[in-house]
Every structure is written in structure tokens, then in C-alpha cells.
Amino acid sequence: MEKKYSIQELIGRIEQNWPETATSYNSVVLSLVRLAELTLDKSRSKLAPLGLTQAAFEVLITLRSLAPEHRLTPTELHKSILVTSGGMSKVLRLLQEQGYITRQENPDDRRSMYIELTEAGKEMAQKSMKEVATGDREVLTTAFTQDEMDALRELLIKGVGRLER
């Protein structure tokens, strides 16, 4: 990641030059966005040596998190991850070429197919999840103590849960 201004510098600049927008709400959102960027950058650096993109990783872990057969239709999969439908087609094609997924006929609907995780896909999901979890832990333990992590976890789950209702 190219060196960016620190979150303190960004917030300080806003407070100095645009004080009417310098609210705690904006500071929280800017901090969450920056934390997400830093975490995703770390994930990408862990996934690249495995030949996976962030989108491919999301497909693998979404399928792996399902009950055995580990499969969804492309539409259901698209609803589960943050990839455009055009991007999804490209990711699925790549994962199929790598042997991580197969496309199975849907017996209930001849117009759709199931995307199913292969054994190699399960192994890659496990391996890539381990790498990404290590990166997440590196980022978050650098930023927060365990008590802070526990408090942040509870606040975020509670707040996001309220928004999703």
C-alpha cells in the first residue's frame, strides 16, 4: 500500500480547514474505512502467493462455510459477497480452471447451475483462511489490546445488528 496520510493527520486537517464537518461520526467512519483498507491490504498480501484474489477468497470461504455439499447458485453466491455479477463470472471461471470449484446442474431448475467446492477448493479455503486470519491478527493486535478488541467486537456486532434489522 502506498503511504497515505495518517488518520490523525486527516482528521486534524478536517478539524482545521472544515470544522463544521469535524464530528465524532465522521472520525469514526474515517477510522473504520482506514482500518478496513489496512486489513484488506494485509489480506491481499497473504492471498497473492496462493494465487488468489480477495474475491476468489470470498467465494471459497463462503462455499466452505456452508453445510456439506458446499454449494450455492451463482445468484445466491453473488448475494453473499461483494463482487459485481460480471466480476463474479470471471472469478468463478478462474476458480474452476484452478480446480477449486465445479459447476453442477441444478435438478430443481434446469436454467441454473450450482457452484460446488471441490476437495482441492476445501483445502485452499482452509489454507487461505489460515493465512488471512494470521494477517488479521497481525493488524488488529498491533492496533488494539485484547480488552479493546473484545469491547470493539461487542460494539460493532451490536451496532451493525441494529442497522441490519
Side-chain angles (χ1 to χ4, degrees), residues 4 8 27 68 75 77 92 95 102 104 113-114 116 129 136-137 141 144 151-153:
K4 294 185 176 186
Q8 291 89 356
S27 294
T75 300
L77 194 53
L92 294 178
L95 288 171
T102 59
Q104 303 293 327
M113 302 286 281
Y114 280 118
E116 189 169 320
M129 178 56 96
D136 290 348
R137 190 170 38 260
T141 58
F144 303 106
L152 182 61
R153 178 185 181 276

Side-chain angles (χ1 to χ4, degrees), residues 2-165:
E2 104 181 26
K3 182 74 172 150
K4 294 185 176 186
Y5 291 109
S6 73
I7 194 66
Q8 291 89 356
E9 290 171 311
L10 291 173
I11 291 170
R13 213 169 32 191
I14 291 169
E15 288 170 346
Q16 183 177 10
N17 300 309
W18 203 2
E20 64 273 19
T21 66
T23 65
S24 60
Y25 307 109
N26 287 346
S27 294
V28 167
V29 170
L30 285 172
S31 297
L32 288 171
V33 168
R34 180 57 60 86
L35 181 59
E37 286 176 352
L38 293 167
T39 305
L40 284 172
D41 286 345
K42 179 62 89 167
S43 291
R44 288 183 192 106
S45 75
K46 297 285 188 179
L47 293 169
L50 300 175
L52 295 177
T53 63
Q54 185 67 33
F57 170 70
E58 288 182 32
V59 169
L60 290 177
I61 63 168
T62 297
L63 292 170
R64 178 61 185 89
S65 70
L66 299 169
E69 290 194 4
H70 305 292
R71 68 181 186 185
L72 286 174
T73 65
T75 300
E76 292 167 324
L77 194 53
H78 181 258
K79 290 179 190 177
S80 300
I81 66 173
L82 302 172
V83 178
T84 64
S85 58
M88 177 66 77
S89 296
K90 181 179 175 184
V91 169
L92 294 178
R93 192 170 38 258
L94 177 64
L95 288 171
Q96 188 171 11
E97 288 170 6
Q98 292 173 312
Y100 298 144
I101 63 166
T102 59
R103 296 174 194 252
Q104 303 293 327
E105 192 173 285
N106 182 345
D108 300 325
D109 182 357
R110 293 267 187 217
R111 296 168 297 156
S112 81
M113 302 286 281
Y114 280 118
I115 306 301
E116 189 169 320
L117 201 57
T118 64
E119 281 304 315
K122 288 177 198 170
E123 290 172 18
M124 181 53 76
Q126 187 72 23
K127 185 176 185 176
S128 61
M129 178 56 96
K130 183 178 178 183
E131 288 297 316
V132 168
T134 298
D136 290 348
R137 190 170 38 260
E138 290 168 4
V139 169
L140 295 173
T141 58
T142 301
F144 303 106
T145 66
Q146 188 60 52
D147 288 343
E148 290 169 334
M149 274 296 303
D150 293 342
L152 182 61
R153 178 185 181 276
E154 292 304 313
L155 286 170
L156 289 172
I157 289 171
K158 183 167 110 178
V160 172
R162 286 178 182 161
L163 292 171
E164 291 179 333
R165 287 185 196 147

